[in-house]
Amino acid sequence: MNRLSLTAVAGGLVILSSCSQEEMTKAPQPTGDFPISFRAGVGTRVNPDLNYIQNPATFYVSAYAPNHMSDTGIIPDSLFWDEPFYLMGANLYASSSNQKWPTKEQASKVEFFAYAPSLEEIQNAAFTQLDQNDPNYSNNLASYTKSIQFFNLCNDNVPLDPMGQMSTTFKDVTLYKGFKLGRFYVATDISKQVDFITSHISADVPENEDAAKLGVELKFKHQLSNIELRAFSGHPDYNIEIAGVRLGRPYTGNAIFNFCDGQGGVDYAAGGQWGISKNPQRLPVEYIFGEGDEIYRMGKFNNLNGGAVMSTTPHSTAATAESIMGKGGNAMVLPTKNAAWGGEANPWIAPKYSAFTGHGEDPYPDRNPKTWDPTTEGDMYFSILIRVTLKPEGDELNTPQIYPYGNNTTMNVVYLEKEKNSNKIIGRVPSKSSSVGANSEIVEFGWAAVPVGVNWERGKKYVYTLDFSDGVGIQDPEDPKPGTAIIGDGIKFSVSVEGWDESTNSTPVPQE
């Protein structure tokens, strides 16, 4: 649920061939007298639906002494890497292995690079992209595991990224050298996504034990974009129920986080930068309401206990719109620039297409590999899982369902089991005829899309308020008839950008 429950992970990460693993692993441990400790905090406070309300419970640190070179004299010597540091109380963090500072003779400064959550949690989030029913699942899993698990040091002039590819495969960021984490893949299930934070500091070796006990202050920054969708409807005739959201198609993988600037310098005020592949992996990320979620209702419905007509919470204006993300929480995605989907069949939106795993059919077999150009071939959209019925008259208990259509051959239908006398979802079922409990019923939902262009930046929260008052959008790009109008006009929306802090005032942004 976008949680950051951080658990310790023992063991190192894989250092790939673009750097020297042998030089790092054979480096002797420092013999300084003073244990290393940290004080830490997240630069901006996150939402209550995340666990980093104040400080992380555990983070992972690699340390290098810039002026203490390895035997070859090419790269700095590693003091330790991917070491977990735990909260020990009073905002002081220490390692269980009692890592210590080098002596003044060994080094005058130490570069610390920290991140959270754990590599294991980042991997588990990424694995949600894989289809376990795919006959190549084992090979795909092995490829993902190999590509994700490393902290890498490339502080030389070799023009390679950490995966050994030429740096020209990445846009906007030069990856010639630096301290990097990679590769990063976003969970396609929003409820399993993680918030990714990093920190770097260059610290002087302390003069004495009292100075060491103060701890080195780490200020973490959010490196993903936070996306929230809200909704309202003032339509006079239709009730609208919502039970899921989909973001299609943000950047979801093949990204490297570089702590350095383009020249490999670590004294970088922005804290680092993403290297996004010129052919980024872009898969839909979604959350369909599950057990315990309540259907989000807009309109006037019959009393669930029978008898009198009742109104729901009045989500009838932008001011009364609330989050429709359910228990999945806000989406956490890589910074993305993508023009809006044109509202018609688009070869880039082939179902389950993934450049990494080879799912689906290559949309451009005669021009493969094809460089992705978000300015000319945008395919970004939001889809909302909805059910539309007529508003009741008088004491009507049942009103006709308008969407999904009775003929389901033109659209994809999601069947959800819910309690008869509440809005609570029990779970998803495969069909309308599935067997359910005596106190349950099956309701149908279909996807309704709205094209939207985005330019999401890291460390910012984007709140989209969707207006269903004049219509409910068009059929989803993965429906048999993509772009077909459903009811009325398209969904309107507005967007505001906030610092990743609840107390920050919203800054209105013009509609795309």
Side-chain angles (χ1 to χ4, degrees):
M1 295 184 181
N2 291 337
R3 305 302 187 198
L4 290 169
S5 51
L6 304 178
T7 55
V9 178
L13 304 181
V14 176
I15 304 297
L16 300 184
S17 59
S18 58
C19 305
S20 174
Q21 181 178 6
E22 180 181 358
E23 290 164 354
M24 299 178 76
T25 55
K26 74 178 183 180
Q29 288 293 313
T31 57
D33 295 327
F34 314 133
I36 295 173
S37 61
F38 295 100
R39 291 173 288 116
V42 180
T44 54
R45 190 164 63 89
V46 300
N47 298 349
D49 63 337
L50 302 173
N51 281 350
Y52 281 168
I53 296 176
Q54 292 181 341
N55 300 324
T58 308
F59 51 80
Y60 300 81
V61 182
S62 296
Y64 299 88
N67 60 340
H68 184 222
M69 308 305 287
S70 61
D71 293 342
T72 63
I74 295 177
I75 60 175
D77 223 347
S78 160
L79 302 181
F80 55 85
W81 50 293
D82 200 43
E83 178 76 20
F85 277 74
Y86 307 99
L87 180 61
M88 307 301 289
N91 193 29
L92 197 66
Y93 294 76
S95 65
S96 59
S97 59
N98 197 29
Q99 294 289 347
K100 294 185 177 182
W101 289 92
T103 63
K104 283 284 189 178
E105 291 72 26
Q106 290 176 307
S108 59
K109 285 183 176 289
V110 175
E111 303 284 349
F112 294 107
F113 302 89
Y115 72 94
S118 68
L119 169 66
E120 182 180 60
E121 288 177 277
I122 293 172
Q123 284 181 317
N124 289 340
F127 293 157
T128 66
Q129 293 190 3
L130 300 177
D131 181 359
Q132 296 189 25
N133 297 318
D134 190 312
N136 293 320
Y137 173 74
S138 296
N139 291 334
N140 293 336
L141 180 62
S143 297
Y144 261 54
T145 303
K146 180 179 179 180
S147 69
I148 294 168
Q149 56 176 16
F150 64 87
F151 177 95
N152 207 1
L153 169 65
C154 296
N155 202 29
D156 53 27
N157 291 315
V158 179
L160 300 174
D161 76 25
M163 287 298 289
Q165 295 180 334
M166 297 300 294
S167 62
T168 53
T169 60
F170 287 80
K171 63 184 181 70
D172 301 331
V173 176
T174 301
L175 294 172
Y176 277 50
K177 54 187 178 180
F179 300 84
K180 305 181 183 77
L181 289 167
R183 298 191 175 203
F184 193 93
Y185 293 85
V186 170
T188 51
D189 180 343
I190 293 175
S191 68
K192 292 181 172 60
Q193 291 177 338
V194 296
D195 182 13
F196 179 61
I197 62 174
T198 68
S199 183
H200 160 258
I201 191 169
S202 179
D204 293 329
V205 173
E207 296 287 346
N208 51 55
E209 185 175 5
D210 288 340
K213 287 181 178 179
L214 292 176
V216 176
E217 184 177 10
L218 290 177
K219 293 183 178 180
F220 284 92
K221 295 183 179 180
H222 300 279
Q223 301 298 350
L224 299 176
S225 302
N226 183 320
I227 313 300
E228 178 184 354
L229 305 185
R230 301 173 184 174
F232 71 97
S233 173
H235 200 287
D237 300 319
Y238 300 129
N239 292 318
I240 300 174
E241 298 175 274
I242 294 175
V245 296
R246 174 183 290 166
L247 309 184
R249 304 166 45 207
Y251 299 157
T252 55
N254 204 15
I256 293 172
F257 184 79
N258 192 340
F259 282 97
C260 308
D261 59 20
Q263 289 70 48
V266 293
D267 188 15
Y268 189 38
Q273 56 193 317
W274 284 105
I276 307 291
S277 170
K278 289 186 177 180
N279 273 317
Q281 183 164 301
R282 297 170 297 107
L283 297 172
V285 299
E286 66 183 30
Y287 176 70
I288 296 176
F289 288 10
E291 183 177 1
D293 277 303
E294 288 206 17
I295 296 171
Y296 186 95
R297 298 181 124 196
M298 300 183 293
K300 187 170 68 172
F301 295 80
N302 60 284
N303 191 319
L304 293 171
N305 294 316
V309 171
M310 64 174 289
S311 295
T312 63
T313 301
H315 303 307
S316 56
T317 66
T320 58
E322 296 181 18
S323 173
I324 58 172
M325 306 301 289
K327 290 189 174 181
N330 293 354
M332 303 287 175
V333 295
L334 286 163
T336 295
K337 183 176 182 180
N338 193 350
W341 169 47
E344 70 281 339
N346 184 323
W348 283 103
I349 312 181
K352 295 186 179 179
Y353 176 75
S354 166
F356 189 95
T357 62
H359 288 316
E361 182 178 351
D362 189 336
Y364 291 98
D366 298 329
R367 294 181 288 163
N368 188 39
K370 185 182 187 304
T371 299
W372 167 247
D373 185 349
T375 61
T376 59
E377 298 183 89
D379 57 5
M380 189 69 196
Y381 64 94
F382 299 154
S383 267
I384 314 302
L385 192 60
I386 67 171
R387 179 173 180 260
V388 183
T389 57
L390 287 177
K391 289 184 177 179
E393 295 181 0
D395 290 337
E396 281 184 286
L397 296 181
N398 297 301
T399 55
Q401 177 176 299
I402 309 300
Y403 187 79
Y405 307 132
N407 178 2
N408 293 335
T409 60
T410 63
M411 56 177 296
N412 295 319
V413 177
V414 175
Y415 302 95
L416 298 177
E417 179 184 0
K418 79 172 195 69
E419 296 177 354
K420 284 184 177 180
N421 294 322
S422 78
N423 294 322
K424 287 188 177 180
I425 298 294
I426 297 173
R428 188 172 177 177
V429 293
S431 71
K432 183 69 173 178
S433 59
S434 299
S435 177
V436 297
N439 296 319
S440 302
E441 61 182 337
I442 297 174
V443 287
E444 299 176 324
F445 285 82
W447 292 102
V450 52
V452 53
V454 304
N455 188 3
W456 294 330
E457 298 179 6
R458 60 196 174 102
K460 292 185 178 179
K461 175 181 176 181
Y462 296 81
V463 179
Y464 291 82
T465 302
L466 309 180
D467 180 2
F468 289 81
S469 298
D470 297 325
V472 297
I474 57 180
Q475 290 195 34
D476 186 272
E478 295 189 10
D479 279 344
K481 292 187 176 182
T484 302
I486 298 172
I487 300 170
D489 297 328
I491 302 168
K492 299 177 182 178
F493 67 90
S494 61
V495 57
S496 64
V497 182
E498 304 175 357
W500 210 327
D501 188 326
E502 290 180 306
S503 64
T504 302
N505 293 327
S506 298
T507 302
V509 172
Q511 180 172 322
E512 295 284 351

